[in-house]
Amino acid sequence: MTVLAPAASPGSSASPAGTALRHAAPALLAYAAVRLLGVAVLGVWGAAAGSSPHQLLSARWDSLWYTRVAELGYGYEVRLANGDVHSNLAFFPLLPWLERLLSAISPLSPADAGLVVAWTASLFAAWGIFAIADRLYGRRAGTLAVVLWAVLPVGIVQSMAYSETLFTALAAWSLYALLSGRWVWAGVLASLAGLTRPVGAAVVAAVWVAGAVTLIRESRAGGSDGGRPDDSGSGVGEWGVGGWSPDGPRGRWRMLWGVVLAPLGAAGYVLWVGHRTGGGLFGYLEVQGGWGNGFDGGLAFARFIGERLASPAFAAGAGLIAGVLLVLWLYRLCLRQRQPLPLLVFCGIVVALALCASGYFGSKPRLLMPAFPLLLPVAVALARLRTSRAVLVLGPVALASAVYGALWLNGTGPP
């Protein structure tokens, strides 16, 4: 994955990517330490429970479906007793493509290749999150944002052969490309994100909204300012700390290319599935329907919570309500923080799709994982603390996340 690094300082012999890597190194080391803690606790738990951490991370639940796509291609399905059909067409192709490629050029099995891809992508995702937070709020806030992402209760998924880390890496760098005015890169990375997960639509929307706002602003200004950022202090203007190219027609053409490229990955796969299944434009929705997935505005999730509240599992229902309110409150803080518009669009769509989709409700925390802008207000608040106090806050959280991850993976249901 190409790193969209800032230019090296004048007179420096280091490459921009090398300079950016050294700048991000403390954040990446902190991230790696948290994730190694999670894997270590899983190993200790596995030794006590007689489970295999390797199998839990590389060959269980969705990981198996990705591996089957890598090994056998598309067409595998499971028919359930109730008539539902679980087809591997529900799984977008970029991760299994990379698994197949890596296993073809190395001695790794597709499952182990999936782990390598996921672990590598997790570092790029952490780097992308750092790059955005550092650009907006400073290096300290960037480091803390990365640590907060690592210590999420479902952070163990970042160490699994799942597609979340690959998607988050592509999404974060696409958004960073927007903030730094690299429209073509933003479109290319958005297209790749669209080949990774259905929620790639959120990245596409961020690119499109940014392009639309840029065109509207230029038209209002009569094109005289060449698309320079608005310094009026508005939430939209603040994303323009280099939010588009100020070089007139050439910049607008690059923007157009980014907007055109962004949806190609997701649209291409969805259209291919529709052609393969004979379902046309709605073919992929039919495949998802076979898994019990859909978008109902959150009605099924609300019923699920209501059932918990009306049962002995009242505490679980109350906890779910608290979790939803926390997510909504964090998004409100993002708005009050006046985050750049592309971040708000991306994060809002990720949150809406996660909370308002029907299907397996235990996966909702995992589906929220790419919504890293939610963590930025917390990172900025923690950045005001002394380092020792921040460690005292995040250290126990990291340990609790590691224990919870080990408990979760040794449970009966998929994350």
Side-chain angles (χ1 to χ4, degrees), residues 28 31 34-35 118-130 141-159 163-170 172 346 365-366 368-376 378-379 382 394 397 401:
L28 298 182
Y31 174 80
V34 173
R35 294 293 0 113
W119 290 359
T120 304
S122 72
L123 291 172
F124 277 100
W127 193 355
I129 293 169
F130 169 82
T143 300
L144 289 166
V146 167
V147 174
L148 285 169
W149 192 64
V151 304
L152 289 174
V154 293
I156 191 64
V157 174
Q158 298 166 20
S159 300
S163 61
E164 269 71 18
T165 57
L166 180 60
F167 172 77
T168 304
L170 294 166
F346 166 76
R366 171 173 64 87
L368 285 166
M369 184 183 298
F372 64 87
L374 293 175
L375 304 174
L376 298 185
V378 184
L382 287 174
L394 293 174
V397 175
S401 173

Side-chain angles (χ1 to χ4, degrees), residues 19-381:
T19 301
L21 179 58
R22 283 193 295 273
H23 187 66
L28 298 182
L29 289 173
Y31 174 80
V34 173
R35 294 293 0 113
L36 286 174
L37 174 64
V39 173
V41 171
L42 180 63
V44 172
W45 193 295
S51 60
S52 167
H54 176 263
Q55 182 179 10
L56 291 175
L57 294 174
S58 66
R60 201 175 183 198
W61 301 310
D62 287 9
S63 299
L64 286 175
W65 286 90
Y66 284 118
T67 299
R68 288 192 185 105
V69 174
E71 292 176 335
L72 306 173
Y74 285 105
Y76 177 83
E77 62 185 28
V78 174
R79 294 185 176 272
L80 305 184
N82 64 359
D84 288 344
V85 177
H86 287 184
S87 168
N88 66 358
L89 290 168
F91 295 87
F92 276 50
L94 186 56
L95 176 57
W97 283 350
L98 293 175
E99 290 178 342
R100 180 183 297 178
L101 174 63
L102 185 56
S103 63
I105 62 176
S106 73
L108 295 174
S109 67
D112 288 338
L115 270 184
V116 172
V117 171
W119 290 359
T120 304
S122 72
L123 291 172
F124 277 100
W127 193 355
I129 293 169
F130 169 82
I132 289 174
D134 174 45
R135 183 182 184 90
L136 297 174
Y137 308 112
R139 189 182 191 188
R140 185 176 177 84
T143 300
L144 289 166
V146 167
V147 174
L148 285 169
W149 192 64
V151 304
L152 289 174
V154 293
I156 191 64
V157 174
Q158 298 166 20
S159 300
M160 298 176 68
Y162 271 40
S163 61
E164 269 71 18
T165 57
L166 180 60
F167 172 77
T168 304
L170 294 166
W173 284 109
S174 178
L175 293 169
Y176 181 81
L178 280 178
L179 297 183
S180 56
R182 297 162 182 175
W183 285 95
V184 175
W185 274 115
V188 169
L189 293 170
S191 184
L192 291 174
L195 280 172
T196 307
R197 297 189 61 80
V199 75
V203 193
V204 176
V207 175
W208 281 2
V209 169
V213 168
T214 300
L215 290 176
I216 292 172
R217 181 177 297 145
E218 285 193 348
S219 67
R220 289 178 177 175
S224 60
D225 63 353
R228 287 181 286 106
D230 178 5
D231 296 323
S232 64
S234 69
V236 172
E238 288 178 4
W239 78 272
V241 285
W244 55 89
S245 301
D247 54 353
R250 289 183 60 188
R252 283 188 283 275
W253 273 110
R254 286 197 292 269
M255 182 189 70
L256 179 61
W257 272 111
V259 169
V260 170
L261 289 170
L264 295 185
Y269 182 68
V270 168
L271 291 174
W272 178 80
V273 170
H275 174 74
R276 183 182 176 106
T277 62
L281 293 175
F282 302 101
Y284 184 77
L285 296 180
E286 293 173 3
V287 170
Q288 284 283 9
W291 283 81
N293 296 327
F295 187 87
D296 63 358
L299 293 178
F301 188 34
R303 285 195 297 268
F304 178 79
I305 294 175
E307 291 169 0
R308 304 284 86 71
L309 294 175
S311 74
F314 176 86
L320 288 172
I321 292 176
V324 171
L325 292 177
L326 175 62
V327 169
L328 297 178
W329 178 69
L330 287 173
Y331 189 70
R332 179 173 178 268
L333 289 182
C334 294
L335 294 171
R336 294 185 62 183
Q337 195 180 32
R338 303 176 77 143
Q339 286 184 9
L341 182 61
L343 297 189
L344 294 174
V345 171
F346 166 76
C347 184
I349 293 176
V350 172
V351 169
L353 291 177
L355 296 183
C356 298
S358 59
Y360 181 66
F361 303 114
S363 293
K364 289 192 180 294
R366 171 173 64 87
L367 299 179
L368 285 166
M369 184 183 298
F372 64 87
L374 293 175
L375 304 174
L376 298 185
V378 184
V380 171

